[in-house]
Amino acid sequence: MIPLDLTPEEKQVIRQRFLAKVEQGPDCWTWKGVAQTRGGRGRMRIKNRVYYAYRVAYALEHGSLPANLGICHRCDNPACVRPDHLFAGTQADNVTDMDRKGRRKNSPRYGRDHHKVTTTDDQVAWAIAMYRSGRMTQTLIGQILGVKQQTVSGWVHGQVRSTTAKGRLIAAKRNAARTQRKAA
């Protein structure tokens, strides 16, 4: 939250400092300040505290933001600080906005639909059959399919990826038990 105890003079100085670090384009206003996160979000120091630049932009235009709300971007550009591209909302509002725009990645943790999977279910079934028959080692199977031996081991022991609904259910239960042990 941006401090409310700013005098009009302090607010004017902050506005000038802020605008000096903004490139005002025809659409988005891009933060060009030095402090940026990996995701492109700008940061600005005010009274020895660091704030996201888009929060400063919102506060300068609309006043302070309640603690339970965040800032969402209409333009989906994290570096944008244009006040009319920003709106206050909860995390649920932000997720709804992402879903409406189709930009949220729903990546299941298991199976062929995971975003990092390079093998098909048939290849996994083949790998398990080859290993269990004793015709190939896990290392050789991994070299053929372009995956690590540890990945093949996971398939064989049902820990990483399962090709059946029952296998996925078992893996989900196993991970839930692991999570409970870590929490305890």
Side-chain angles (χ1 to χ4, degrees):
M1 190 168 354
I2 306 300
L4 287 175
D5 60 343
L6 296 175
T7 65
E9 294 82 21
E10 288 175 325
K11 193 172 183 179
Q12 185 59 31
V13 169
I14 290 170
R15 185 181 305 276
Q16 288 173 352
R17 280 182 47 222
F18 178 81
L19 291 174
K21 297 177 183 180
V22 174
E23 182 181 300
Q24 295 183 11
D27 192 26
C28 289
W29 293 3
T30 306
W31 179 256
K32 294 297 182 181
V34 175
Q36 290 185 352
T37 65
R38 279 193 213 178
R41 289 171 171 79
R43 295 183 289 193
M44 182 177 183
R45 183 177 296 275
I46 300 173
K47 290 190 169 185
N48 293 324
R49 288 196 58 194
V50 177
Y51 299 94
Y52 283 118
Y54 56 83
R55 292 182 73 86
V56 174
Y58 185 90
L60 288 172
E61 187 72 20
H62 303 289
S64 189
L65 188 68
N68 64 332
L69 294 180
I71 302 293
C72 307
H73 288 81
R74 287 187 176 90
C75 58
D76 297 333
N77 177 0
C80 180
V81 294
R82 185 171 177 163
D84 60 342
H85 285 197
L86 308 173
F87 65 97
T90 64
Q91 181 61 27
D93 295 334
N94 200 26
V95 170
T96 301
D97 184 53
M98 286 191 305
D99 287 343
R100 188 174 43 80
K101 294 174 182 173
R103 64 177 175 85
R104 183 165 73 153
K105 291 181 181 176
N106 295 326
S107 62
R109 188 175 170 135
Y110 302 102
R112 67 179 174 264
D113 295 329
H114 190 279
H115 67 282
K116 290 188 176 181
V117 167
T118 59
T119 54
T120 65
D121 286 343
D122 290 338
Q123 289 172 320
V124 173
W126 172 83
I128 292 169
M130 288 292 111
Y131 178 74
R132 289 190 178 154
S133 71
R135 288 189 245 171
M136 291 187 179
T137 64
Q138 292 177 5
T139 303
L140 180 59
I141 293 168
Q143 289 171 349
I144 292 170
L145 295 178
V147 297
K148 294 181 178 182
Q149 175 273 324
Q150 293 90 335
T151 302
V152 177
S153 177
W155 296 340
V156 169
H157 298 293
Q159 295 172 344
V160 176
R161 179 175 169 190
S162 299
T163 57
T164 65
K166 181 180 177 184
R168 284 189 286 275
L169 180 63
I170 291 168
K173 286 180 181 178
R174 188 178 296 133
N175 280 339
R178 241 185 250 141
T179 303
Q180 287 176 348
R181 283 194 303 267
K182 285 180 183 177

